[in-house]
Amino acid sequence: MKEVGGYIEKQVAYLSGGRGEDSSVIITLPECSAFSDIPEEALAKVFTYLTLIPRQPGVKFIIILDRRLDTWASIKTALARIAASFPGNLHLVLVLRPTSFFHRTVTDIGFRFSQEDFMLTMPVVMLSSVTDLLRYIDENQLTSEFGGTLDYCHSDWIVLRTAIESFAVTVKDIAQMLQGFGTELAEPELPEEAKTIECLLEVHTDKYRKLKDAIRSVSKEGRHLLSSLETTVKEDDSLWDVKLDWETVQRLLAQLRDMESAFDGFFEKHHLKLHQYLQLLRYEQSFQELCLEHLTAQERELCISANSLAETEQALKRLDNLESNAQEVTARAQIIILHGHQLSAGHHYAMALIMQRCNELRHYCDTLTAALKTKHTRLLQTHQMLLCLGQAQTWCDDAAYLLANQLVDKFQSKEGAQAALRDIEKLLEGAPSINYDLIQAVTLSYFYIKIKTPLPYISSLSLPFFLNRQACLRKLADKHVRPVQLVAPRPENTPRSKSPLFSPKHGTAQAHRYKPLFSLFSANDVLHLFLLLHACICLCHSHVMRELIETERIYVEELLSVLLGYRAEMDNPALSGVLPPILRSKRDILFGNMPEIYNFHIFLQDLEGCLEAPEGVGACFLERKESFQMYESYCQNKLRSEALWRQFSDCGFFLECQKKLEHKLGLDSYLLKPIQRLTKYQLLLKELIKYSTDCEGTSELQGALAAMLDLLKSVNDSMHQIAITGYEGDICELGRVLMQGSFSVWISHKKGPTRMKEMARFKPMQRHLFLYERALLLCKRREEHGDGCDKTPSYSFKHCLKMTAVGITENVKGDVKKFEIWYSGREEVYVVQAPTVEVKMAWLNELRRILTNQQKLLRGLRAT
């Protein structure tokens, strides 16, 4: 309308709404003195615009060319231009010829000679008057200027067309705005800062509200326009053009409603996801701010070994402070766990991660609380025992002081003996009570609390010497004879000091003076203590053995339940309806080599045989060292198994099997059992070694532990190896993976262009190195997004260095963590920076071992 609006306003041509035969649409070209001045291109656009208004397939057009006040030359020119520019299906051209006699005569003659030319391109009928026009078109389809009754106002028609087209353009603009906003919402990556997310939510919500206001405004405009058209249609049902306009507006309004509905749904989902992402960020932030790992580390570092009462009290104060902090953090953790459950109940998209965090928090809190409670109990017991032993030691000092200062010459009289006896009986009445059950309980905690109190002295609380003195004094008091028990006389002019036996300044002569008292100490209590310690060690060792065998038995039973309750049930015809055929064909991927692992674990019988002979446990593991390698195959298949499980986890077959087995957990939890068991072995072996120091079979246990740790390392390395992509050869030909890790690497070449290119690289490349028996691979680590929040690393292959052409330089000037790997006589030099000096030395040791073995092999070949 914009391009032809000026010509339409001038009434170069217009649609009156009338129809001819076969429902042909009438286009009227009224008298227009400027018709000949209209450019061809503009005229073609006017005709195109008018023919596009009636949106009906195969519509025909009739043109009324009003030239009653014009000349034949003008008519001929107009007809030629119509023939050249009209784009539609032109059914008929009705020409009202000039009314003056001269021009009418010229027109008749000119048309007679030119009729064949016009008729070849379009049918033309020359009419003498308006009356002749009524023979082709009904009166009610013609406007008043042609003697008809059709009501038509050109200015109203222009206003209506402008409103409809403006509405259509606005709807199109709205659609583009919605599409652009949708693209803006979908394209950017989500930031990792909560404030940025909040700002993003505010910006998006503001834009959404503005777009909604625009949609409401346009909808209101469309409804108003539709209402106006409905009123016109009701007044005159024969106005086909108004009906078409009504249908157009109705269709545009429907499109607008559909766009609004789709946009609302999309924004609601996006807004919910963004809001949930913000919740997840805040939840993660709260989780990280708890510092539970820091508290756990503090708890582990808190030493409760006490050598004295003061040290025990200090340890209790530190423990009380830590417990206070732990209670505060635990309370916050419970709030976070509750919040996590609320998020999960609200169907948060990261429900699995949130529940994992909740479980971690609960585990941390329970573990920390239990550990603190245990330490607090042990410290209190230790404090009570040391307090009790301190009281006993003080009483023994008082007793030794009393005995040492009682003068024998005073015992000669009955009164002196009775006085000495009263002193001894008074001291005995004040003797502290010893809680031997408490001492035994603390002794059983020997591996956690080491008390260095002089137990031999404390254990002499029976004090046979002291009691013997008491008995002798009683006899003296009754019979008045010389005492049987003698004590060396108190030296003259020597000050009486309390507790001379334990004074650090006590001289050798004085120690010799009280030697008879030491000789009377009993060793029975000391022996009893060591017997208790030995029993404790044996008890702990036996407990670990029972745990190893019992958990092995449970593990084997769980493997059997999975193989019979899931794998074998895949052949059960009764469950074929709920089992996808593709899943049956991929059972070996889902379960891996679990049947082979189950058959191997007759190992349980050998372990049960070691219950009476625990020194044979290490040998059991070493004899089956090679067989344990089957776990490596199981772990390598685990990624494929998990992918298959995620695809079919909602399958009715699994739910039915779980129901039959009465398992609380799904199959995926049981598929993790072999991996969990593999890590459990090394923990149990460590405990056995802890309680088997200098015992028979200790060396075999240490060998078994080393074998299990090597297997875990090999499994970990192989899990990384299967993620290598882009290596064209057979990776198995490189031998076993010995080491793998991430390093910073600089590469230089001898050749000119390549060397210049590498010298321009100041920033190191991050490479993941895989050391095999026969080669060294350099790869680039990439993070690939998996399902949900899982991320699986992959390693893009970059370089392969055959070990037969490799050399090393162990030290690089300027950095103790760097070393050189050179290749093909230093054609290529790789400067490698390890994360730590320890990692560097480990790699150098392994590289040296490989290169040394290669040299030995070459010397052997040359010798033959």
Side-chain angles (χ1 to χ4, degrees):
M1 185 72 173
K2 289 182 180 180
E3 296 181 355
V4 299
Y7 300 109
I8 296 295
E9 289 178 1
K10 293 178 182 178
Q11 280 191 295
V12 172
Y14 63 88
L15 287 172
S16 61
R19 294 249 180 166
E21 59 181 9
D22 298 332
S23 298
S24 300
V25 177
I26 298 174
I27 297 177
T28 303
L29 274 68
E31 284 285 351
C32 179
S33 58
F35 183 81
S36 58
D37 298 332
I38 301 174
E40 291 291 338
E41 184 178 357
L43 184 62
K45 289 181 178 180
V46 170
F47 284 143
T48 301
Y49 173 73
L50 293 176
T51 55
L52 289 176
I53 291 176
R55 298 176 179 273
Q56 293 175 332
V59 65
K60 298 178 182 179
F61 293 92
I62 296 176
I63 292 180
I64 298 177
L65 183 61
D66 186 5
R67 289 296 179 267
R68 286 176 290 180
L69 301 177
D70 217 330
T71 63
W72 163 245
S74 175
I75 293 172
K76 184 177 180 180
T77 302
L79 290 174
R81 298 186 70 184
I82 290 171
S85 304
F86 196 80
N89 183 7
L90 191 54
H91 177 63
L92 186 63
V93 178
L94 300 176
V95 182
L96 288 172
R97 61 184 179 177
T99 54
S100 66
F101 176 77
F102 174 75
H103 290 297
R104 184 173 57 193
T105 303
V106 173
T107 300
D108 290 342
I109 296 171
F111 182 70
R112 190 176 296 114
F113 286 102
S114 305
Q115 184 175 7
E116 293 183 0
D117 295 336
F118 291 122
M119 293 302 290
L120 290 175
T121 56
M122 55 186 179
V124 179
V125 176
M126 197 67 66
L127 303 176
S128 300
S129 64
V130 173
T131 305
D132 295 340
L133 186 61
L134 294 175
R135 288 185 298 176
Y136 294 93
I137 300 173
D138 291 339
E139 180 181 3
N140 59 355
Q141 299 297 323
L142 293 173
T143 57
S144 58
E145 60 183 308
F146 299 117
T149 60
L150 181 64
D151 186 18
Y152 173 74
C153 178
H154 189 64
S155 59
D156 291 345
W157 183 86
I158 290 176
V159 170
L160 178 61
R161 291 308 308 169
T162 302
I164 294 172
E165 291 173 14
S166 175
F167 178 64
V169 170
T170 306
V171 171
K172 183 179 179 181
D173 292 341
I174 290 290
Q176 291 176 346
M177 290 166 64
L178 293 180
Q179 184 178 4
F181 186 49
T183 304
E184 180 185 346
L185 296 182
E187 285 181 354
E189 294 184 359
L190 295 177
E192 296 183 358
E193 294 182 0
K195 290 185 178 180
T196 309
I197 292 291
E198 291 175 356
C199 294
L200 204 59
L201 274 170
E202 291 179 2
V203 170
H204 289 175
T205 304
D206 185 58
K207 288 185 177 180
Y208 170 75
R209 288 172 179 167
K210 289 180 179 178
L211 281 172
K212 286 289 290 183
D213 291 341
I215 292 173
R216 292 191 190 98
S217 176
V218 174
S219 298
K220 183 178 180 182
E221 177 187 344
R223 287 192 298 270
H224 179 73
L225 184 59
L226 190 67
S227 175
S228 176
L229 291 171
E230 286 176 348
T231 303
T232 305
V233 170
K234 287 178 182 178
E235 291 176 355
D236 188 350
D237 189 49
S238 63
L239 298 176
W240 63 269
D241 56 335
V242 178
K243 289 182 180 179
L244 287 178
D245 292 338
W246 181 87
E247 291 174 358
T248 299
V249 175
Q250 182 73 7
R251 185 179 65 256
L252 290 171
L253 278 173
Q255 291 177 359
L256 192 61
R257 284 193 298 270
D258 292 342
M259 286 189 297
E260 183 179 11
S261 176
F263 174 65
D264 287 342
F266 174 76
F267 184 78
E268 182 179 354
K269 290 180 181 178
H270 171 78
H271 190 271
L272 177 62
K273 181 179 179 181
L274 207 59
H275 183 65
Q276 289 183 343
Y277 180 70
L278 178 60
Q279 290 176 329
L280 183 62
L281 280 181
R282 288 173 174 166
Y283 187 81
E284 282 286 337
Q285 184 178 359
S286 302
F287 179 83
Q288 298 298 333
E289 288 175 352
L290 275 181
C291 300
L292 276 173
E293 293 182 357
H294 178 65
L295 278 176
T296 305
Q298 285 184 326
E299 181 272 324
R300 289 172 183 167
E301 293 171 0
L302 182 63
C303 179
I304 58 174
S305 298
N307 298 328
S308 66
L309 196 61
E311 289 183 8
T312 308
E313 290 173 350
Q314 289 179 358
L316 276 171
K317 286 181 181 179
R318 291 194 298 269
L319 185 59
D320 288 340
N321 291 334
L322 187 57
E323 283 182 327
S324 177
N325 295 336
Q327 287 177 357
E328 180 183 349
V329 172
T330 303
R332 287 165 51 201
Q334 293 300 327
I335 295 173
I336 294 174
I337 291 172
L338 177 62
H339 184 212
H341 284 291
Q342 291 173 347
L343 293 178
S344 298
H347 304 288
H348 197 285
Y349 73 89
M351 183 189 302
L353 177 61
I354 292 173
M355 292 310 299
Q356 178 185 344
R357 293 300 193 207
C358 289
N359 293 335
E360 287 179 17
L361 281 178
R362 193 176 291 108
H363 173 72
Y364 271 124
C365 291
D366 293 346
T367 304
L368 181 62
T369 303
L372 290 174
K373 184 178 179 181
T374 301
K375 285 193 173 182
H376 194 272
T377 302
R378 288 172 179 161
L379 271 177
L380 283 178
Q381 289 177 343
T382 305
H383 183 268
Q384 292 174 7
M385 189 192 77
L386 289 175
L387 188 62
C388 179
L389 295 178
Q391 293 172 353
Q393 184 170 340
T394 302
W395 185 87
C396 289
D397 286 348
D398 292 340
Y401 176 80
L402 176 63
L403 292 176
N405 287 279
Q406 281 184 339
L407 300 179
V408 178
D409 54 356
K410 288 187 178 181
F411 299 165
Q412 306 304 318
S413 65
K414 183 177 181 179
E415 291 76 10
Q418 288 177 344
L421 181 61
R422 283 195 298 271
D423 291 340
I424 290 175
E425 288 176 347
K426 182 179 179 181
L427 188 63
L428 284 173
E429 288 175 1
S433 60
I434 304 299
N435 187 347
Y436 287 99
D437 291 335
L438 175 63
I439 295 175
Q440 182 176 348
V442 178
T443 303
L444 290 174
S445 304
Y446 176 77
F447 294 104
Y448 304 97
I449 308 171
K450 296 180 180 178
I451 303 170
K452 298 180 180 179
T453 305
L455 288 175
Y457 175 70
I458 299 298
S459 64
S460 66
L461 293 180
S462 55
L463 293 176
F465 180 83
F466 191 75
L467 297 177
N468 194 12
R469 171 70 66 84
Q470 182 188 26
C472 293
L473 287 174
R474 282 177 179 170
K475 292 179 181 179
L476 287 173
D478 294 337
K479 299 179 180 180
H480 192 59
V481 297
R482 292 183 63 83
V484 177
Q485 181 76 30
L486 296 178
V487 174
R490 176 177 57 85
E492 295 182 5
N493 303 324
T494 301
R496 297 181 179 181
S497 60
K498 190 172 183 178
S499 189
L501 292 175
F502 298 94
S503 174
K505 298 181 180 180
H506 203 274
T508 305
Q510 287 177 325
H512 180 72
R513 176 183 176 184
Y514 297 105
K515 188 174 180 180
L517 187 62
F518 279 99
S519 64
L520 295 174
F521 287 167
S522 173
N524 290 334
D525 291 334
V526 179
L527 178 61
H528 180 63
L529 173 63
F530 283 106
L531 288 174
L532 283 174
L533 292 178
H534 179 70
C536 179
I537 293 172
C538 295
L539 183 65
C540 293
H541 190 282
S542 176
H543 173 74
V544 177
M545 275 298 302
R546 284 196 299 271
E547 183 181 358
L548 172 61
I549 294 171
E550 187 60 32
T551 54
E552 182 73 11
R553 186 179 295 114
I554 294 171
Y555 170 57
V556 173
E557 290 173 357
E558 288 175 339
L559 290 181
L560 181 60
S561 70
V562 170
L563 293 174
L564 295 180
Y566 286 99
R567 197 176 191 277
E569 285 295 304
M570 288 185 171
D571 296 324
N572 186 352
L575 296 177
S576 59
V578 293
L579 177 65
I582 190 173
L583 189 58
R584 182 185 291 109
S585 64
K586 293 186 176 181
R587 71 174 75 184
D588 290 337
I589 295 176
L590 182 62
F591 296 96
N593 62 336
M594 185 181 283
E596 182 185 4
I597 293 175
Y598 173 75
N599 292 332
F600 161 70
H601 276 276
I602 54 170
F603 176 57
L604 171 62
Q605 300 173 5
D606 299 326
L607 288 178
E608 289 174 336
C610 294
L611 189 58
E612 299 300 328
E615 65 275 2
V617 173
C620 267
F621 278 90
L622 290 176
E623 288 170 6
R624 290 157 184 80
K625 178 180 176 181
E626 298 301 327
S627 299
F628 272 104
Q629 296 297 325
M630 66 180 66
Y631 276 90
E632 186 170 341
S633 301
Y634 186 85
C635 294
Q636 288 177 350
N637 178 69
K638 196 66 181 71
L639 292 177
R640 299 171 64 202
S641 174
E642 288 175 350
L644 189 62
W645 166 256
R646 285 194 295 270
Q647 184 180 355
F648 294 100
S649 58
D650 295 332
C651 174
F653 170 79
F654 294 123
L655 299 176
E656 187 67 25
C657 291
Q658 183 178 348
K659 184 178 178 181
K660 284 184 179 180
L661 292 170
E662 297 182 355
H663 283 177
K664 294 181 180 180
L665 301 175
L667 174 61
D668 56 327
S669 298
Y670 288 90
L671 292 177
L672 278 173
K673 294 293 182 180
I675 300 174
Q676 294 170 343
R677 188 58 184 169
L678 194 60
T679 57
K680 183 70 173 177
Y681 283 134
Q682 56 96 13
L683 296 175
L684 291 171
L685 288 171
K686 285 179 180 178
E687 288 296 304
L688 284 174
I689 291 172
K690 179 179 178 181
Y691 301 121
S692 303
T693 308
D694 299 329
C695 295
E696 184 181 354
T698 302
S699 60
E700 287 81 359
L701 280 174
Q702 291 172 343
L705 175 60
M708 288 297 103
L709 292 175
D710 287 344
L711 178 59
L712 285 173
K713 178 181 178 299
S714 178
V715 167
N716 183 54
D717 292 343
S718 65
M719 293 296 287
H720 284 275
Q721 173 191 277
I722 62 176
I724 295 176
T725 60
Y727 183 76
E728 296 181 355
D730 185 1
I731 206 165
C732 295
E733 295 178 356
L734 303 181
R736 192 166 59 92
V737 182
L738 302 177
M739 302 188 79
Q740 54 84 25
S742 295
F743 297 86
S744 298
V745 179
W746 292 262
I747 305 177
S748 63
H749 297 76
K750 274 190 175 181
K751 296 182 180 180
T754 309
R755 179 170 175 79
M756 291 304 296
K757 179 180 177 182
E758 297 298 341
M759 286 177 66
R761 184 191 293 274
F762 295 101
K763 186 178 179 181
M765 296 177 291
Q766 298 303 314
R767 291 290 181 262
H768 202 88
L769 274 57
F770 291 87
L771 180 60
Y772 292 83
E773 293 172 325
R774 301 184 187 90
L776 177 67
L777 296 190
L778 281 77
C779 303
K780 183 175 182 180
R781 181 186 174 102
R782 301 183 187 278
E783 292 288 345
E784 296 180 357
H785 292 274
D787 296 337
C789 300
D790 298 335
K791 286 186 178 179
T792 305
S794 66
Y795 303 97
S796 299
F797 169 75
K798 295 298 181 182
H799 301 281
C800 176
L801 309 181
K802 300 294 184 183
M803 292 306 297
T804 53
V806 163
I808 59 173
T809 303
E810 297 188 6
N811 294 305
V812 176
K813 186 177 180 181
D815 194 337
V816 294
K817 294 184 290 185
K818 287 183 180 179
F819 62 96
E820 281 186 353
I821 300 175
W822 40 270
Y823 192 61
S824 298
R826 301 191 73 87
E827 283 290 335
E828 300 174 10
V829 177
Y830 298 82
V831 178
V832 181
Q833 183 184 49
T836 64
V837 177
E838 290 76 13
V839 172
K840 169 190 169 180
M841 297 309 299
W843 275 73
L844 285 176
N845 290 336
E846 195 64 34
L847 286 167
R848 275 197 302 267
R849 187 188 65 79
I850 296 174
L851 297 177
T852 303
N853 289 341
Q854 285 183 172
Q855 291 176 354
K856 290 179 180 179
L857 182 62
L858 287 175
R859 283 197 296 267
L861 292 174
R862 289 170 184 168
T864 56

